[in-house]
Amino acid sequence: MSTSDMADLTITPVPGIQSQPTSAILAGHLRDRVVEGTFAPGAQLNEARIAGEFQVSRGPVREALQRLVQEGLLESRRNRGVFVRELTEEDAAEIFAAREVLECAAAAVIAAKPAQERAAIASALSSVVSDLNAAIANGDDAKALRLDHEFHSRFVQSAGNSRLARAYATIATESLICSAHSVGVHPPLGDFSAHHEALVSLTERGDIEGIHAAVHQHLSHH
C-alpha cells in the first residue's frame, strides 16, 4: 500500500487488520455490503464511485473487486463492468451440498483430536451459541444468520487445516448470502439453537457419526 493511499483511507480501523493492504480492507467492507444486501443481487458496482466514497485511488478498489470476483460473489461482464452475482435455487443446492462435504471432512479431523482439545473447541463454539440464542430471542434474524455463519466457520477452522478452512470460507459466504436473500429452503431460526447445542456436545464427545448426521439434517433443510 502506498503512503498516499494510507493517508487518504478513511475506513474506520478494525483491530487486527491494520497490517492488511487497502484492497483487502476494502474487499471486506464490500463483501459485508453484498451479504447484507446493500449491494443487491444483480447490482453494478461502480469503481469510481467506491473510490470516491472511501477516498482512495481506483487501484485498490479494482484489486478489491477482482478479489470478490475470484471468490464468486461478483461477476465481471465484458465491456459492462462488475456486478453482484445472482444466486439461483440450483446454486443454493450446490452450495449447501459442498458445505456438508467440507464440514464432515473437518469433523473427521476434530473427532480424532485428544479429548482436551475437543473440549476447548466445544467451549469456544458454545460461546458463539450463547450469542446466537440471544440474537434469536431478540428477534435479530440478520445477526442470528451471521452467528450461524461464524459457528460453522469456527467449527471448520478448528480442524487446523488451512486449505480446508480457505475452501470453506468462500462457500460459507455464498451460503450466508443465500440465507440473507432467502434463496433456497431454510430451516426456521428457532431450530438453530437445538442444532448448534447438539453439535457442541457431539464435538466434545468426538462422535463423528453423530456430527455427520447433525450436519446432514441441518443442511438438507436448505
Side-chain angles (χ1 to χ4, degrees):
M1 186 192 314
S2 68
T3 302
S4 60
D5 284 339
M6 284 294 292
D8 291 341
L9 189 61
T10 58
I11 301 172
T12 303
V14 178
I17 67 170
Q18 287 85 350
S19 61
Q20 293 187 18
T22 304
S23 60
I25 300 174
L26 281 169
H29 282 268
L30 297 176
R31 186 185 297 109
D32 288 343
R33 292 187 181 188
V34 171
V35 171
E36 294 165 359
T38 304
F39 294 135
Q44 183 174 11
L45 275 66
N46 185 284
E47 187 180 292
R49 189 174 301 148
I50 293 170
E53 178 183 351
F54 289 105
Q55 297 183 19
V56 297
S57 63
R58 292 177 65 166
V61 175
R62 192 174 302 115
E63 291 175 15
L65 294 176
Q66 184 57 39
R67 181 186 294 242
L68 298 184
V69 168
Q70 291 172 350
E71 291 181 9
L73 302 184
L74 307 179
E75 60 180 352
S76 180
R77 301 175 187 172
R78 183 182 294 275
N79 299 324
R80 293 189 60 194
V82 177
F83 297 78
V84 178
R85 275 191 62 200
E86 298 182 75
L87 296 173
T88 65
E89 299 288 328
E90 291 75 17
D91 290 326
E94 288 187 1
I95 288 164
F96 291 112
R99 270 190 62 184
E100 182 174 347
V101 170
L102 294 172
E103 290 188 35
C104 286
V109 177
I110 292 169
K113 291 181 179 293
Q116 187 173 359
E117 288 188 39
R118 294 199 309 272
I121 291 170
S123 177
L125 292 174
S126 184
S127 67
V128 180
V129 174
S130 296
D131 292 340
L132 189 151
N133 289 344
I136 293 173
N138 292 330
D140 191 340
D141 292 0
K143 185 175 182 180
L145 288 172
R146 289 196 300 272
L147 287 166
D148 172 63
H149 172 272
E150 180 180 345
F151 178 94
H152 288 275
S153 295
R154 282 201 190 187
F155 177 81
V156 173
Q157 290 165 6
S158 296
N161 184 317
S162 62
R163 286 169 176 78
L164 181 60
R166 190 161 60 244
Y168 187 79
T170 296
I171 290 293
T173 302
E174 289 183 317
S175 173
L176 184 56
I177 292 173
C178 286
S179 297
H181 296 286
S182 300
V183 180
V185 180
H186 307 278
L189 284 176
D191 294 346
F192 277 28
S193 296
H195 164 72
H196 292 89
E197 288 166 1
L199 266 180
V200 169
S201 178
L202 292 164
T203 298
E204 186 164 13
R205 296 204 305 269
D207 184 346
I208 182 66
E209 291 184 3
I211 294 173
H212 282 185
V215 168
H216 175 74
Q217 181 180 15
H218 182 59
L219 296 179
S220 63
H221 280 86
H222 292 72

